[in-house]
């Protein structure tokens, strides 16, 4: 598919088939994404791929921590400290849209807990990716990292794969570090599920809205 189709069809899916992803496909995706721009070409990204028995062990240990209510301070603040409009309304809309498709009723804490726990099973995907960055790098490198992540997700679409970038893993980065052997000088940016979409998963029908250009673009004079 061309880049515009990849952009239009990239979605954060929460249901994958167990079909394996060939190693050659993973290498092709990551090599293509490594062409993402970075200031002075420093390429600040590091990727840890997990599959099979190791991935299953990681899922089991993080799910246990999740069920016990254990979390740790994230390596960085992903969301705003104080929510305000229009961001709060957007967050609520996508959150409740997802929960409705998942069959989670408002106020059902147990169902919400179980739905969130699906993050830690990679939503059934056969491949888990974890992304880290040197702690001493600054905001510009984090901006570069976002372009790298987007490049991975678009390259995956080019091979008929889907993905879901997941900040939820950051609540348990201590377990992720221990199981995957990540160095302490690396901040965990996020995890990602990667695989083939499950067409029978209800939450995969979620359609997220985008603001019109008029809401965020200002064109100056053309002449």
């Amino acid at each position: 598919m061309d880049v515009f189709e990849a952009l239009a069809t990239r979605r954060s899916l929460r249901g994958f088939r167990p079909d394996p992803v060939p190693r050659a496909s993973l290498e092709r995706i990551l090599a293509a994404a490594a062409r993402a721009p970075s200031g002075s070409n420093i390429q600040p990204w590091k990727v840890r791929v997990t599959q099979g028995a190791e991935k299953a062990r990681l899922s089991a240990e993080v799910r246990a921590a999740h069920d016990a209510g254990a979390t740790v301070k994230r390596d960085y603040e992903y969301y705003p400290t104080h929510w305000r409009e229009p961001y709060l309304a957007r967050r609520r809309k996508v959150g409740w849209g997802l929960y409705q498709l998942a069959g989670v009723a408002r106020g059902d804490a147990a169902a919400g807990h179980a739905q969130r726990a699906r993050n830690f099973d990679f939503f059934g995907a056969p491949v888990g990716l974890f992304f880290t960055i040197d702690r001493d790098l600054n905001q510009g490198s984090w901006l570069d990292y976002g372009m790298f992540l987007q490049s991975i997700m678009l390259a995956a679409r080019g091979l008929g794969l889907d993905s879901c970038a997941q900040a939820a893993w950051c609540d348990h980065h201590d377990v992720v570090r221990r199981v995957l052997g990540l160095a302490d000088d690396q901040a965990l940016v996020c995890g990602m599920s990667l695989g083939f979409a499950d067409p029978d998963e209800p939450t995969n029908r979620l359609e997220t809205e985008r603001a019109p250009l008029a809401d965020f673009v200002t064109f100056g004079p053309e002449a």
Side-chain angles (χ1 to χ4, degrees):
M1 63 181 69
D2 68 26
V3 66
F4 286 98
E5 184 180 358
L7 284 163
T9 61
R10 186 221 57 82
R11 295 183 297 148
S12 296
L13 296 194
R14 293 171 177 84
F16 296 85
R17 306 197 312 265
D19 310 49
V21 177
R23 171 73 173 264
S25 295
L26 291 174
E27 291 182 352
R28 186 179 180 191
I29 289 167
L30 292 168
R35 299 301 306 173
S38 59
S40 297
N41 196 35
I42 67 171
Q43 304 169 65
W45 36 79
K46 290 183 173 64
V47 185
R48 177 62 156 83
V49 182
T50 186
Q51 302 174 83
E54 180 188 68
K55 183 172 74 71
R57 177 191 167 202
L58 176 62
S59 289
E61 295 203 23
V62 174
R63 282 197 67 142
H66 173 70
D67 289 341
T71 61
V72 291
K73 181 177 174 58
R74 295 184 176 192
D75 286 324
Y76 68 103
E77 292 297 330
Y78 184 87
Y79 288 111
T81 303
H82 301 289
W83 285 93
R84 59 181 175 81
E85 299 302 346
Y87 313 113
L88 180 59
R90 291 172 181 170
R91 185 190 196 208
R92 285 174 170 167
K93 183 168 186 176
V94 72
W96 285 118
L98 174 67
Y99 271 30
Q100 286 174 351
L101 289 170
V104 178
R106 288 179 184 264
D108 190 340
H113 179 89
Q115 175 62 28
R116 182 170 174 78
R118 295 187 62 217
N119 277 280
F120 310 124
D121 288 329
F122 298 92
F123 301 110
V127 178
L129 304 173
F130 288 90
F131 303 94
T132 64
I133 186 171
D134 293 3
R135 290 184 184 277
D136 60 348
L137 294 179
N138 288 322
Q139 287 177 320
S141 294
W142 286 77
L143 293 172
D144 298 339
Y145 219 120
M147 292 185 279
F148 174 66
L149 292 171
Q150 173 79 331
S151 296
I152 289 175
M153 293 183 278
L154 295 181
R157 289 301 303 129
L159 296 184
L161 293 158
D162 281 285
S163 61
C164 184
Q166 299 164 270
W169 290 98
C170 297
D171 289 337
H172 304 284
H173 65 82
D174 55 338
V175 182
V176 176
R177 288 180 193 287
R178 175 170 50 77
V179 174
L180 300 185
L182 302 181
D184 289 338
D185 65 357
Q186 295 293 299
L188 181 61
V189 177
C190 67
M192 183 183 292
S193 298
L194 182 72
F196 297 96
D198 178 359
D200 297 324
E201 168 58 44
T203 59
N204 286 348
R205 299 197 303 269
L206 179 68
E207 296 286 346
T208 56
E209 296 179 353
R210 293 296 186 271
L213 292 186
D215 283 7
F216 64 91
V217 178
T218 301
F219 287 97
E222 293 187 13

